Amino acid sequence: MNGNIFHKKMIQIGSYFLIFWMLLTMLIIGCKKDEEIVSTQEPVSNWIVQSSNITNNLKSVCFVNEFTGYAAGNSFPNDTNKIIKTTNGGLNWFRKQSVDSLSFNCIYFRDVNTGYAAGSKGKIIRTTNGGDSWSVLPTPVTDIINDIRFFDPQKGIASGYSGVILTTSNGGDTWQLISTQTQAGLYSISINSPGEAFVCGDGGLILYSNNYGASWVVQPAITIYSLKSISFVNANTGYSCGQHGTIIKTTNKGANWSALTTPTTTEFTSLFFTDDNTGFFTGDYGSIHKTKDGGNTFRKVSAVTVNYLRKVYFIDSSKGWVVGEYGTILSTINGGD
């Protein structure tokens, strides 16, 4: 009788141990699954850092083909070389001497030889030999110039602070000051169809011209925030972005603009679209946001820097560059995801 009781007790204890080990095993497996989820790594960014070998705050970048490009900016803290050039897609950048003690907000090349840079003191400079030498072009202003674009080899536009818009009809040899009826800072130009241009600026201001910049009209403002960049992807559809993560869009050539659902409150300073639907928005804290559906949704690209990013430029759907503070240059060769 005692033997039977002992046997039953042992079976009961064994059952308890079996249940205990089953519960412990399930707990361990559950913890491992949780650990796998928690430890999932951020996706690797397709943007890489290129060495500029300078400390300038780079504010503009422009490529004439997949190999040859230029970047420009202002001196900080004590670097006097403000224009740099690459001939191998940014693997190496080297300094180009400019003229005068200028700081630059924009650089623009019409072709492999002819380019323009502009910035402080109302100065615009031009090169006709791929940046080997530069000459100062006379302008009637001393206000800071923020952007410059050309319709064709002869007709071009520059915009700047205090409502300044300049036009040229002879390749930049001379520039004329155009009345805009505003004192707002004007930051960015988008050349649209032949003769048409848009300029954005402080207080949500957008100006439109259909006669190569000879006259301008104000389009309806839908934001109080300053707009820092503007770009049209076709004759009717355009985007502008700026302070407080503002992004606006038009599909009727600016007659009406609508605010898009912004992915951040971080300031956007630049945008670039590689096709009608695919675009990039860059700004403070190293932020890069990409849309693949015309601004309906955005995805934040994994950060590779915390520096302020000033300008984004793509030469095609795959190859692009972003420049910013402290000589920052980022590049992608596979679409910037």
Side-chain angles (χ1 to χ4, degrees):
M1 185 70 179
N2 290 338
N4 290 335
I5 293 173
F6 175 78
H7 183 67
K8 289 180 179 179
K9 288 289 185 183
M10 291 301 294
I11 292 175
Q12 192 175 34
I13 292 171
S15 299
Y16 290 155
F17 270 107
L18 179 61
I19 293 171
F20 171 76
W21 281 111
M22 288 175 64
L23 291 173
L24 182 61
T25 301
M26 292 173 63
L27 179 62
I28 292 172
I29 292 173
C31 288
K32 285 184 177 179
K33 287 182 179 180
D34 289 342
E35 288 172 359
E36 288 172 0
I37 294 172
V38 171
S39 64
T40 299
Q41 294 183 351
E42 287 282 336
V44 177
S45 175
N46 286 324
W47 292 90
I48 62 170
V49 178
Q50 293 186 334
S51 177
S52 65
N53 295 312
I54 61 171
T55 58
N56 294 31
N57 288 334
L58 294 172
K59 294 186 174 182
S60 186
V61 60
C62 179
F63 272 71
V64 295
N65 55 50
E66 62 179 313
F67 302 110
T68 303
Y70 301 81
N74 66 312
S75 293
F76 181 84
N78 54 10
D79 196 336
T80 58
N81 297 96
K82 307 180 187 76
I83 295 178
I84 58 176
K85 178 180 180 179
T86 181
T87 56
N88 57 10
L91 296 178
N92 304 103
W93 291 85
F94 51 94
R95 304 175 183 189
K96 305 298 291 184
Q97 294 294 333
S98 61
V99 294
D100 213 339
S101 57
L102 301 177
S103 294
F104 298 106
N105 291 331
C106 57
I107 191 164
Y108 172 84
F109 270 74
R110 291 200 329 247
D111 53 49
V112 294
N113 294 313
T114 307
Y116 303 81
S120 62
K121 304 178 183 179
K123 297 290 182 68
I124 299 174
I125 64 174
R126 178 177 62 192
T127 180
T128 56
N129 54 15
D132 289 338
S133 61
W134 298 81
S135 58
V136 177
L137 305 176
T139 74
V141 299
T142 58
D143 301 277
I144 293 173
I145 303 298
N146 289 317
D147 202 6
I148 186 169
R149 289 288 186 272
F150 274 76
F151 295 97
D152 57 42
Q154 298 301 315
K155 297 183 180 68
I157 302 174
S159 66
Y161 285 106
S162 302
V164 164
I165 289 184
L166 306 173
T167 64
T168 181
S169 58
N170 53 18
D173 290 340
T174 59
W175 295 83
Q176 295 77 43
L177 178 62
I178 304 299
S179 175
T180 58
Q181 303 299 314
T182 181
Q183 290 295 306
L186 302 176
Y187 298 105
S188 178
I189 303 169
S190 178
I191 298 295
N192 198 18
S193 302
E196 292 187 322
F198 294 81
V199 176
C200 67
D202 284 334
L205 179 66
I206 296 179
L207 302 177
Y208 167 71
S209 173
N210 61 4
N211 53 11
Y212 296 94
S215 62
W216 297 82
V217 296
V218 177
Q219 294 198 324
I222 66 164
T223 178
I224 61 172
Y225 294 108
S226 294
L227 298 171
K228 298 298 184 70
S229 186
I230 189 167
S231 180
F232 272 71
V233 299
N234 56 48
N236 294 305
T237 303
Y239 301 81
S240 187
C241 64
Q243 291 177 334
H244 202 67
T246 300
I247 301 175
I248 63 175
K249 178 179 180 179
T250 180
T251 56
N252 56 9
K253 199 178 293 188
N256 304 102
W257 292 83
S258 58
L260 301 184
T261 301
T262 181
T264 180
T265 56
T266 297
E267 180 177 70
F268 287 123
T269 56
S270 180
L271 71 94
F272 195 100
F273 273 72
T274 58
D275 59 45
D276 284 4
N277 294 308
T278 306
F280 297 83
F281 296 78
T282 63
D284 205 357
Y285 303 107
S287 68
I288 301 175
H289 288 79
K290 180 178 181 179
T291 180
K292 294 183 179 180
D293 53 16
N296 291 324
T297 59
F298 295 86
R299 187 179 71 83
K300 185 177 182 179
V301 177
S302 298
V304 292
T305 181
V306 296
N307 292 339
Y308 201 118
L309 299 178
R310 297 281 187 176
K311 196 73 172 180
V312 55
Y313 190 93
F314 274 75
I315 197 67
D316 56 34
S317 61
S318 299
K319 302 179 184 67
W321 294 263
V322 182
V323 299
E325 287 187 342
Y326 306 110
T328 299
I329 301 179
L330 310 179
S331 71
T332 181
I333 59 173
N334 50 15
D337 284 319

